[in-house]
PDB file of all heavy atoms in Angstrom:
ATOM      1  N   GLU V  18      90.908  70.155 125.177  1.00  0.00           N
ATOM      2  CA  GLU V  18      89.628  70.715 124.784  1.00  0.00           C
ATOM      3  C   GLU V  18      89.873  71.877 123.815  1.00  0.00           C
ATOM      4  O   GLU V  18      90.306  72.947 124.223  1.00  0.00           O
ATOM      5  CB  GLU V  18      88.878  71.198 126.023  1.00  0.00           C
ATOM      6  CG  GLU V  18      87.579  71.892 125.751  1.00  0.00           C
ATOM      7  CD  GLU V  18      86.572  71.023 125.007  1.00  0.00           C
ATOM      8  OE1 GLU V  18      86.434  69.842 125.366  1.00  0.00           O
ATOM      9  OE2 GLU V  18      85.960  71.523 124.048  1.00  0.00           O
ATOM     10  N   PRO V  19      89.597  71.693 122.520  1.00  0.00           N
ATOM     11  CA  PRO V  19      89.883  72.728 121.523  1.00  0.00           C
ATOM     12  C   PRO V  19      88.765  73.749 121.315  1.00  0.00           C
ATOM     13  O   PRO V  19      88.839  74.559 120.396  1.00  0.00           O
ATOM     14  CB  PRO V  19      90.101  71.909 120.258  1.00  0.00           C
ATOM     15  CG  PRO V  19      89.231  70.722 120.438  1.00  0.00           C
ATOM     16  CD  PRO V  19      89.277  70.415 121.916  1.00  0.00           C
ATOM     17  N   ALA V  20      87.733  73.777 122.137  1.00  0.00           N
ATOM     18  CA  ALA V  20      86.601  74.687 121.926  1.00  0.00           C
ATOM     19  C   ALA V  20      87.026  76.159 121.918  1.00  0.00           C
ATOM     20  O   ALA V  20      86.427  76.986 121.226  1.00  0.00           O
ATOM     21  CB  ALA V  20      85.543  74.448 122.994  1.00  0.00           C
ATOM     22  N   TYR V  21      88.061  76.521 122.669  1.00  0.00           N
ATOM     23  CA  TYR V  21      88.501  77.918 122.730  1.00  0.00           C
ATOM     24  C   TYR V  21      88.991  78.428 121.370  1.00  0.00           C
ATOM     25  O   TYR V  21      89.019  79.631 121.120  1.00  0.00           O
ATOM     26  CB  TYR V  21      89.608  78.096 123.773  1.00  0.00           C
ATOM     27  CG  TYR V  21      90.924  77.447 123.394  1.00  0.00           C
ATOM     28  CD1 TYR V  21      91.912  78.189 122.778  1.00  0.00           C
ATOM     29  CD2 TYR V  21      91.158  76.100 123.636  1.00  0.00           C
ATOM     30  CE1 TYR V  21      93.116  77.602 122.417  1.00  0.00           C
ATOM     31  CE2 TYR V  21      92.348  75.508 123.289  1.00  0.00           C
ATOM     32  CZ  TYR V  21      93.331  76.265 122.667  1.00  0.00           C
ATOM     33  OH  TYR V  21      94.515  75.696 122.314  1.00  0.00           O
ATOM     34  N   LEU V  22      89.355  77.529 120.475  1.00  0.00           N
ATOM     35  CA  LEU V  22      89.837  77.944 119.155  1.00  0.00           C
ATOM     36  C   LEU V  22      88.744  78.593 118.311  1.00  0.00           C
ATOM     37  O   LEU V  22      89.044  79.341 117.391  1.00  0.00           O
ATOM     38  CB  LEU V  22      90.431  76.750 118.415  1.00  0.00           C
ATOM     39  CG  LEU V  22      91.702  76.167 119.037  1.00  0.00           C
ATOM     40  CD1 LEU V  22      92.096  74.895 118.306  1.00  0.00           C
ATOM     41  CD2 LEU V  22      92.821  77.179 119.017  1.00  0.00           C
ATOM     42  N   GLY V  23      87.496  78.354 118.640  1.00  0.00           N
ATOM     43  CA  GLY V  23      86.389  78.980 117.923  1.00  0.00           C
ATOM     44  C   GLY V  23      86.336  80.483 118.119  1.00  0.00           C
ATOM     45  O   GLY V  23      85.736  81.201 117.314  1.00  0.00           O
ATOM     46  N   GLU V  24      86.980  81.002 119.165  1.00  0.00           N
ATOM     47  CA  GLU V  24      86.997  82.438 119.445  1.00  0.00           C
ATOM     48  C   GLU V  24      88.267  83.114 118.926  1.00  0.00           C
ATOM     49  O   GLU V  24      88.460  84.305 119.122  1.00  0.00           O
ATOM     50  CB  GLU V  24      86.884  82.658 120.944  1.00  0.00           C
ATOM     51  CG  GLU V  24      85.589  82.122 121.531  1.00  0.00           C
ATOM     52  CD  GLU V  24      85.565  82.254 123.048  1.00  0.00           C
ATOM     53  OE1 GLU V  24      86.286  83.107 123.578  1.00  0.00           O
ATOM     54  OE2 GLU V  24      84.817  81.495 123.675  1.00  0.00           O
ATOM     55  N   ALA V  25      89.125  82.382 118.245  1.00  0.00           N
ATOM     56  CA  ALA V  25      90.395  82.934 117.759  1.00  0.00           C
ATOM     57  C   ALA V  25      90.166  83.926 116.626  1.00  0.00           C
ATOM     58  O   ALA V  25      89.168  83.864 115.910  1.00  0.00           O
ATOM     59  CB  ALA V  25      91.296  81.796 117.284  1.00  0.00           C
ATOM     60  N   THR V  26      91.092  84.866 116.482  1.00  0.00           N
ATOM     61  CA  THR V  26      91.058  85.824 115.382  1.00  0.00           C
ATOM     62  C   THR V  26      92.415  85.820 114.678  1.00  0.00           C
ATOM     63  O   THR V  26      93.413  85.364 115.227  1.00  0.00           O
ATOM     64  CB  THR V  26      90.764  87.248 115.883  1.00  0.00           C
ATOM     65  OG1 THR V  26      91.763  87.635 116.815  1.00  0.00           O
ATOM     66  CG2 THR V  26      89.401  87.337 116.544  1.00  0.00           C
ATOM     67  N   ALA V  27      92.425  86.341 113.478  1.00  0.00           N
ATOM     68  CA  ALA V  27      93.667  86.462 112.715  1.00  0.00           C
ATOM     69  C   ALA V  27      93.742  87.880 112.156  1.00  0.00           C
ATOM     70  O   ALA V  27      92.719  88.493 111.845  1.00  0.00           O
ATOM     71  CB  ALA V  27      93.704  85.454 111.582  1.00  0.00           C
ATOM     72  N   HIS V  28      94.951  88.409 112.050  1.00  0.00           N
ATOM     73  CA  HIS V  28      95.158  89.754 111.528  1.00  0.00           C
ATOM     74  C   HIS V  28      96.221  89.707 110.448  1.00  0.00           C
ATOM     75  O   HIS V  28      97.124  88.870 110.488  1.00  0.00           O
ATOM     76  CB  HIS V  28      95.610  90.701 112.639  1.00  0.00           C
ATOM     77  CG  HIS V  28      94.631  90.816 113.750  1.00  0.00           C
ATOM     78  ND1 HIS V  28      93.577  91.683 113.726  1.00  0.00           N
ATOM     79  CD2 HIS V  28      94.522  90.140 114.919  1.00  0.00           C
ATOM     80  CE1 HIS V  28      92.875  91.560 114.836  1.00  0.00           C
ATOM     81  NE2 HIS V  28      93.431  90.614 115.582  1.00  0.00           N
ATOM     82  N   GLU V  29      96.127  90.627 109.495  1.00  0.00           N
ATOM     83  CA  GLU V  29      97.131  90.732 108.448  1.00  0.00           C
ATOM     84  C   GLU V  29      97.860  92.051 108.626  1.00  0.00           C
ATOM     85  O   GLU V  29      97.244  93.082 108.892  1.00  0.00           O
ATOM     86  CB  GLU V  29      96.462  90.692 107.076  1.00  0.00           C
ATOM     87  CG  GLU V  29      97.428  90.756 105.928  1.00  0.00           C
ATOM     88  CD  GLU V  29      96.727  90.647 104.589  1.00  0.00           C
ATOM     89  OE1 GLU V  29      95.541  90.326 104.552  1.00  0.00           O
ATOM     90  OE2 GLU V  29      97.388  90.900 103.575  1.00  0.00           O
ATOM     91  N   ALA V  30      99.161  92.051 108.499  1.00  0.00           N
ATOM     92  CA  ALA V  30      99.953  93.267 108.654  1.00  0.00           C
ATOM     93  C   ALA V  30     101.030  93.313 107.578  1.00  0.00           C
ATOM     94  O   ALA V  30     101.566  92.278 107.184  1.00  0.00           O
ATOM     95  CB  ALA V  30     100.598  93.314 110.032  1.00  0.00           C
ATOM     96  N   ALA V  31     101.327  94.514 107.124  1.00  0.00           N
ATOM     97  CA  ALA V  31     102.402  94.711 106.154  1.00  0.00           C
ATOM     98  C   ALA V  31     103.555  95.417 106.856  1.00  0.00           C
ATOM     99  O   ALA V  31     103.337  96.184 107.796  1.00  0.00           O
ATOM    100  CB  ALA V  31     101.907  95.551 104.985  1.00  0.00           C
ATOM    101  N   PRO V  32     104.781  95.180 106.437  1.00  0.00           N
ATOM    102  CA  PRO V  32     105.924  95.857 107.073  1.00  0.00           C
ATOM    103  C   PRO V  32     105.816  97.369 106.923  1.00  0.00           C
ATOM    104  O   PRO V  32     105.390  97.876 105.894  1.00  0.00           O
ATOM    105  CB  PRO V  32     107.138  95.334 106.298  1.00  0.00           C
ATOM    106  CG  PRO V  32     106.683  94.143 105.561  1.00  0.00           C
ATOM    107  CD  PRO V  32     105.213  94.279 105.363  1.00  0.00           C
ATOM    108  N   THR V  33     106.190  98.097 107.971  1.00  0.00           N
ATOM    109  CA  THR V  33     106.207  99.553 107.920  1.00  0.00           C
ATOM    110  C   THR V  33     107.608 100.077 107.640  1.00  0.00           C
ATOM    111  O   THR V  33     107.772 101.243 107.316  1.00  0.00           O
ATOM    112  CB  THR V  33     105.690 100.154 109.243  1.00  0.00           C
ATOM    113  OG1 THR V  33     106.417  99.589 110.326  1.00  0.00           O
ATOM    114  CG2 THR V  33     104.217  99.859 109.425  1.00  0.00           C
ATOM    115  N   ARG V  34     108.612  99.230 107.760  1.00  0.00           N
ATOM    116  CA  ARG V  34     109.988  99.593 107.442  1.00  0.00           C
ATOM    117  C   ARG V  34     110.710  98.340 106.956  1.00  0.00           C
ATOM    118  O   ARG V  34     110.710  97.327 107.632  1.00  0.00           O
ATOM    119  CB  ARG V  34     110.681 100.161 108.672  1.00  0.00           C
ATOM    120  CG  ARG V  34     112.095 100.605 108.407  1.00  0.00           C
ATOM    121  CD  ARG V  34     112.673 101.267 109.631  1.00  0.00           C
ATOM    122  NE  ARG V  34     114.116 101.210 109.535  1.00  0.00           N
ATOM    123  CZ  ARG V  34     114.944 101.411 110.535  1.00  0.00           C
ATOM    124  NH1 ARG V  34     114.465 101.688 111.728  1.00  0.00           N
ATOM    125  NH2 ARG V  34     116.223 101.345 110.368  1.00  0.00           N
ATOM    126  N   LEU V  35     111.315  98.440 105.790  1.00  0.00           N
ATOM    127  CA  LEU V  35     111.995  97.295 105.194  1.00  0.00           C
ATOM    128  C   LEU V  35     113.497  97.384 105.402  1.00  0.00           C
ATOM    129  O   LEU V  35     114.071  98.468 105.411  1.00  0.00           O
ATOM    130  CB  LEU V  35     111.704  97.221 103.692  1.00  0.00           C
ATOM    131  CG  LEU V  35     110.234  97.091 103.295  1.00  0.00           C
ATOM    132  CD1 LEU V  35     110.091  97.183 101.789  1.00  0.00           C
ATOM    133  CD2 LEU V  35     109.659  95.793 103.809  1.00  0.00           C
ATOM    134  N   GLY V  36     114.128  96.239 105.562  1.00  0.00           N
ATOM    135  CA  GLY V  36     115.578  96.164 105.553  1.00  0.00           C
ATOM    136  C   GLY V  36     116.302  96.692 106.773  1.00  0.00           C
ATOM    137  O   GLY V  36     117.424  97.149 106.664  1.00  0.00           O
ATOM    138  N   GLY V  37     115.691  96.628 107.953  1.00  0.00           N
ATOM    139  CA  GLY V  37     116.386  97.029 109.172  1.00  0.00           C
ATOM    140  C   GLY V  37     117.456  96.009 109.532  1.00  0.00           C
ATOM    141  O   GLY V  37     117.515  94.925 108.973  1.00  0.00           O
ATOM    142  N   PHE V  38     118.317  96.377 110.444  1.00  0.00           N
ATOM    143  CA  PHE V  38     119.361  95.466 110.882  1.00  0.00           C
ATOM    144  C   PHE V  38     118.889  94.671 112.094  1.00  0.00           C
ATOM    145  O   PHE V  38     118.314  95.229 113.015  1.00  0.00           O
ATOM    146  CB  PHE V  38     120.643  96.229 111.236  1.00  0.00           C
ATOM    147  CG  PHE V  38     121.327  96.797 110.047  1.00  0.00           C
ATOM    148  CD1 PHE V  38     121.235  98.138 109.754  1.00  0.00           C
ATOM    149  CD2 PHE V  38     122.064  95.973 109.206  1.00  0.00           C
ATOM    150  CE1 PHE V  38     121.864  98.665 108.636  1.00  0.00           C
ATOM    151  CE2 PHE V  38     122.702  96.492 108.087  1.00  0.00           C
ATOM    152  CZ  PHE V  38     122.598  97.850 107.795  1.00  0.00           C
ATOM    153  N   GLY V  39     119.148  93.379 112.095  1.00  0.00           N
ATOM    154  CA  GLY V  39     118.813  92.508 113.206  1.00  0.00           C
ATOM    155  C   GLY V  39     120.066  91.833 113.737  1.00  0.00           C
ATOM    156  O   GLY V  39     121.171  92.085 113.274  1.00  0.00           O
ATOM    157  N   MET V  40     119.905  90.958 114.707  1.00  0.00           N
ATOM    158  CA  MET V  40     121.043  90.267 115.302  1.00  0.00           C
ATOM    159  C   MET V  40     121.740  89.340 114.301  1.00  0.00           C
ATOM    160  O   MET V  40     122.943  89.148 114.370  1.00  0.00           O
ATOM    161  CB  MET V  40     120.590  89.440 116.509  1.00  0.00           C
ATOM    162  CG  MET V  40     120.094  90.271 117.667  1.00  0.00           C
ATOM    163  SD  MET V  40     121.406  91.220 118.429  1.00  0.00           S
ATOM    164  CE  MET V  40     122.294  89.933 119.245  1.00  0.00           C
ATOM    165  N   CYS V  41     120.995  88.778 113.376  1.00  0.00           N
ATOM    166  CA  CYS V  41     121.567  87.799 112.441  1.00  0.00           C
ATOM    167  C   CYS V  41     121.315  88.194 110.988  1.00  0.00           C
ATOM    168  O   CYS V  41     121.057  87.348 110.145  1.00  0.00           O
ATOM    169  CB  CYS V  41     120.977  86.420 112.713  1.00  0.00           C
ATOM    170  SG  CYS V  41     121.382  85.785 114.333  1.00  0.00           S
ATOM    171  N   GLY V  42     121.334  89.478 110.699  1.00  0.00           N
ATOM    172  CA  GLY V  42     121.130  89.909 109.318  1.00  0.00           C
ATOM    173  C   GLY V  42     120.081  90.993 109.216  1.00  0.00           C
ATOM    174  O   GLY V  42     119.869  91.781 110.133  1.00  0.00           O
ATOM    175  N   ARG V  43     119.415  91.029 108.087  1.00  0.00           N
ATOM    176  CA  ARG V  43     118.407  92.054 107.814  1.00  0.00           C
ATOM    177  C   ARG V  43     117.028  91.563 108.236  1.00  0.00           C
ATOM    178  O   ARG V  43     116.751  90.372 108.238  1.00  0.00           O
ATOM    179  CB  ARG V  43     118.401  92.385 106.330  1.00  0.00           C
ATOM    180  CG  ARG V  43     119.760  92.728 105.749  1.00  0.00           C
ATOM    181  CD  ARG V  43     120.237  94.065 106.137  1.00  0.00           C
ATOM    182  NE  ARG V  43     119.511  95.073 105.402  1.00  0.00           N
ATOM    183  CZ  ARG V  43     119.833  96.343 105.401  1.00  0.00           C
ATOM    184  NH1 ARG V  43     120.881  96.758 106.070  1.00  0.00           N
ATOM    185  NH2 ARG V  43     119.131  97.225 104.757  1.00  0.00           N
ATOM    186  N   ARG V  44     116.162  92.503 108.567  1.00  0.00           N
ATOM    187  CA  ARG V  44     114.800  92.148 108.944  1.00  0.00           C
ATOM    188  C   ARG V  44     113.872  93.312 108.639  1.00  0.00           C
ATOM    189  O   ARG V  44     114.300  94.443 108.484  1.00  0.00           O
ATOM    190  CB  ARG V  44     114.723  91.805 110.419  1.00  0.00           C
ATOM    191  CG  ARG V  44     115.269  92.950 111.294  1.00  0.00           C
ATOM    192  CD  ARG V  44     114.498  93.058 112.569  1.00  0.00           C
ATOM    193  NE  ARG V  44     115.087  94.044 113.445  1.00  0.00           N
ATOM    194  CZ  ARG V  44     114.852  95.344 113.370  1.00  0.00           C
ATOM    195  NH1 ARG V  44     114.085  95.814 112.430  1.00  0.00           N
ATOM    196  NH2 ARG V  44     115.388  96.185 114.222  1.00  0.00           N
ATOM    197  N   ASP V  45     112.580  93.051 108.557  1.00  0.00           N
ATOM    198  CA  ASP V  45     111.564  94.073 108.349  1.00  0.00           C
ATOM    199  C   ASP V  45     110.900  94.382 109.676  1.00  0.00           C
ATOM    200  O   ASP V  45     110.860  93.549 110.578  1.00  0.00           O
ATOM    201  CB  ASP V  45     110.518  93.593 107.344  1.00  0.00           C
ATOM    202  CG  ASP V  45     111.115  93.311 105.975  1.00  0.00           C
ATOM    203  OD1 ASP V  45     112.164  93.899 105.657  1.00  0.00           O
ATOM    204  OD2 ASP V  45     110.527  92.508 105.226  1.00  0.00           O
ATOM    205  N   GLU V  46     110.370  95.600 109.818  1.00  0.00           N
ATOM    206  CA  GLU V  46     109.702  96.014 111.053  1.00  0.00           C
ATOM    207  C   GLU V  46     108.206  96.156 110.804  1.00  0.00           C
ATOM    208  O   GLU V  46     107.781  96.592 109.739  1.00  0.00           O
ATOM    209  CB  GLU V  46     110.262  97.347 111.539  1.00  0.00           C
ATOM    210  CG  GLU V  46     111.694  97.264 111.988  1.00  0.00           C
ATOM    211  CD  GLU V  46     112.240  98.601 112.468  1.00  0.00           C
ATOM    212  OE1 GLU V  46     111.473  99.583 112.530  1.00  0.00           O
ATOM    213  OE2 GLU V  46     113.430  98.653 112.777  1.00  0.00           O
ATOM    214  N   TYR V  47     107.436  95.808 111.808  1.00  0.00           N
ATOM    215  CA  TYR V  47     105.986  95.910 111.757  1.00  0.00           C
ATOM    216  C   TYR V  47     105.522  96.785 112.909  1.00  0.00           C
ATOM    217  O   TYR V  47     105.836  96.518 114.062  1.00  0.00           O
ATOM    218  CB  TYR V  47     105.343  94.526 111.891  1.00  0.00           C
ATOM    219  CG  TYR V  47     105.629  93.628 110.712  1.00  0.00           C
ATOM    220  CD1 TYR V  47     106.845  92.972 110.590  1.00  0.00           C
ATOM    221  CD2 TYR V  47     104.675  93.458 109.725  1.00  0.00           C
ATOM    222  CE1 TYR V  47     107.111  92.160 109.506  1.00  0.00           C
ATOM    223  CE2 TYR V  47     104.935  92.635 108.630  1.00  0.00           C
ATOM    224  CZ  TYR V  47     106.152  91.999 108.532  1.00  0.00           C
ATOM    225  OH  TYR V  47     106.409  91.201 107.468  1.00  0.00           O
ATOM    226  N   ASN V  48     104.772  97.851 112.604  1.00  0.00           N
ATOM    227  CA  ASN V  48     104.203  98.723 113.618  1.00  0.00           C
ATOM    228  C   ASN V  48     102.788  98.226 113.906  1.00  0.00           C
ATOM    229  O   ASN V  48     101.863  98.475 113.143  1.00  0.00           O
ATOM    230  CB  ASN V  48     104.187 100.166 113.119  1.00  0.00           C
ATOM    231  CG  ASN V  48     103.713 101.124 114.186  1.00  0.00           C
ATOM    232  OD1 ASN V  48     103.622 100.768 115.354  1.00  0.00           O
ATOM    233  ND2 ASN V  48     103.414 102.341 113.795  1.00  0.00           N
ATOM    234  N   LEU V  49     102.623  97.470 114.984  1.00  0.00           N
ATOM    235  CA  LEU V  49     101.340  96.877 115.321  1.00  0.00           C
ATOM    236  C   LEU V  49     100.722  97.609 116.499  1.00  0.00           C
ATOM    237  O   LEU V  49     101.405  97.926 117.474  1.00  0.00           O
ATOM    238  CB  LEU V  49     101.523  95.399 115.672  1.00  0.00           C
ATOM    239  CG  LEU V  49     102.163  94.550 114.579  1.00  0.00           C
ATOM    240  CD1 LEU V  49     102.424  93.148 115.094  1.00  0.00           C
ATOM    241  CD2 LEU V  49     101.299  94.522 113.345  1.00  0.00           C
ATOM    242  N   PRO V  50      99.421  97.899 116.445  1.00  0.00           N
ATOM    243  CA  PRO V  50      98.757  98.592 117.555  1.00  0.00           C
ATOM    244  C   PRO V  50      98.941  97.830 118.870  1.00  0.00           C
ATOM    245  O   PRO V  50      98.871  96.605 118.901  1.00  0.00           O
ATOM    246  CB  PRO V  50      97.284  98.599 117.146  1.00  0.00           C
ATOM    247  CG  PRO V  50      97.284  98.389 115.675  1.00  0.00           C
ATOM    248  CD  PRO V  50      98.502  97.574 115.364  1.00  0.00           C
ATOM    249  N   GLY V  51      99.241  98.560 119.938  1.00  0.00           N
ATOM    250  CA  GLY V  51      99.387  97.955 121.256  1.00  0.00           C
ATOM    251  C   GLY V  51     100.753  97.389 121.525  1.00  0.00           C
ATOM    252  O   GLY V  51     100.948  96.711 122.524  1.00  0.00           O
ATOM    253  N   THR V  52     101.730  97.643 120.653  1.00  0.00           N
ATOM    254  CA  THR V  52     103.086  97.144 120.867  1.00  0.00           C
ATOM    255  C   THR V  52     104.047  98.306 121.065  1.00  0.00           C
ATOM    256  O   THR V  52     103.735  99.446 120.757  1.00  0.00           O
ATOM    257  CB  THR V  52     103.578  96.292 119.685  1.00  0.00           C
ATOM    258  OG1 THR V  52     103.598  97.111 118.509  1.00  0.00           O
ATOM    259  CG2 THR V  52     102.666  95.105 119.438  1.00  0.00           C
ATOM    260  N   THR V  53     105.218  98.022 121.562  1.00  0.00           N
ATOM    261  CA  THR V  53     106.241  99.035 121.797  1.00  0.00           C
ATOM    262  C   THR V  53     107.068  99.227 120.532  1.00  0.00           C
ATOM    263  O   THR V  53     107.469  98.263 119.898  1.00  0.00           O
ATOM    264  CB  THR V  53     107.167  98.594 122.948  1.00  0.00           C
ATOM    265  OG1 THR V  53     106.361  98.340 124.093  1.00  0.00           O
ATOM    266  CG2 THR V  53     108.198  99.647 123.267  1.00  0.00           C
ATOM    267  N   LEU V  54     107.358 100.489 120.188  1.00  0.00           N
ATOM    268  CA  LEU V  54     108.178 100.763 119.021  1.00  0.00           C
ATOM    269  C   LEU V  54     109.618 100.364 119.296  1.00  0.00           C
ATOM    270  O   LEU V  54     110.091 100.435 120.425  1.00  0.00           O
ATOM    271  CB  LEU V  54     108.139 102.257 118.692  1.00  0.00           C
ATOM    272  CG  LEU V  54     106.815 102.788 118.155  1.00  0.00           C
ATOM    273  CD1 LEU V  54     106.879 104.310 118.010  1.00  0.00           C
ATOM    274  CD2 LEU V  54     106.494 102.154 116.820  1.00  0.00           C
ATOM    275  N   PRO V  55     110.339  99.943 118.264  1.00  0.00           N
ATOM    276  CA  PRO V  55     111.753  99.614 118.452  1.00  0.00           C
ATOM    277  C   PRO V  55     112.569 100.857 118.784  1.00  0.00           C
ATOM    278  O   PRO V  55     112.096 101.972 118.586  1.00  0.00           O
ATOM    279  CB  PRO V  55     112.169  99.024 117.098  1.00  0.00           C
ATOM    280  CG  PRO V  55     111.198  99.602 116.135  1.00  0.00           C
ATOM    281  CD  PRO V  55     109.912  99.792 116.899  1.00  0.00           C
ATOM    282  N   TYR V  56     113.782 100.660 119.267  1.00  0.00           N
ATOM    283  CA  TYR V  56     114.659 101.793 119.563  1.00  0.00           C
ATOM    284  C   TYR V  56     114.822 102.631 118.319  1.00  0.00           C
ATOM    285  O   TYR V  56     114.998 102.101 117.215  1.00  0.00           O
ATOM    286  CB  TYR V  56     116.032 101.297 120.032  1.00  0.00           C
ATOM    287  CG  TYR V  56     115.969 100.621 121.370  1.00  0.00           C
ATOM    288  CD1 TYR V  56     116.192  99.261 121.490  1.00  0.00           C
ATOM    289  CD2 TYR V  56     115.689 101.341 122.516  1.00  0.00           C
ATOM    290  CE1 TYR V  56     116.133  98.627 122.717  1.00  0.00           C
ATOM    291  CE2 TYR V  56     115.628 100.730 123.749  1.00  0.00           C
ATOM    292  CZ  TYR V  56     115.857  99.375 123.851  1.00  0.00           C
ATOM    293  OH  TYR V  56     115.784  98.760 125.064  1.00  0.00           O
ATOM    294  N   GLY V  57     114.752 103.946 118.471  1.00  0.00           N
ATOM    295  CA  GLY V  57     114.888 104.846 117.341  1.00  0.00           C
ATOM    296  C   GLY V  57     113.600 105.011 116.567  1.00  0.00           C
ATOM    297  O   GLY V  57     113.561 105.675 115.553  1.00  0.00           O
ATOM    298  N   GLY V  58     112.492 104.409 117.036  1.00  0.00           N
ATOM    299  CA  GLY V  58     111.218 104.529 116.341  1.00  0.00           C
ATOM    300  C   GLY V  58     110.596 105.893 116.553  1.00  0.00           C
ATOM    301  O   GLY V  58     110.911 106.623 117.466  1.00  0.00           O
ATOM    302  N   GLU V  59     109.718 106.248 115.657  1.00  0.00           N
ATOM    303  CA  GLU V  59     109.033 107.541 115.747  1.00  0.00           C
ATOM    304  C   GLU V  59     107.955 107.508 116.793  1.00  0.00           C
ATOM    305  O   GLU V  59     107.294 106.604 117.040  1.00  0.00           O
ATOM    306  CB  GLU V  59     108.426 107.917 114.392  1.00  0.00           C
ATOM    307  CG  GLU V  59     109.477 108.317 113.389  1.00  0.00           C
ATOM    308  CD  GLU V  59     110.087 107.110 112.655  1.00  0.00           C
ATOM    309  OE1 GLU V  59     109.356 106.197 112.280  1.00  0.00           O
ATOM    310  OE2 GLU V  59     111.297 107.093 112.491  1.00  0.00           O
TER     311      GLU V  59
END
């Protein structure tokens, strides 16, 4: 039953920090409301 998809929302976010280090290379960080900051975050 796909009716619940009518209540879905979408958000757009831009990276707040570029070029951080990840497990398999470089990555960007996104500071999204309601989420936990990464280690060393402000």
Side-chain angles (χ1 to χ4, degrees):
E18 176 60 44
Y21 69 95
L22 294 173
E24 298 175 23
T26 59
H28 300 275
E29 182 177 349
T33 53
R34 182 175 158 196
L35 301 174
F38 290 103
M40 294 292 288
C41 297
R43 308 286 285 189
R44 55 145 175 84
D45 298 335
E46 293 180 4
Y47 293 79
N48 185 13
L49 302 174
T52 61
T53 304
L54 290 174
Y56 292 112
E59 288 85 42

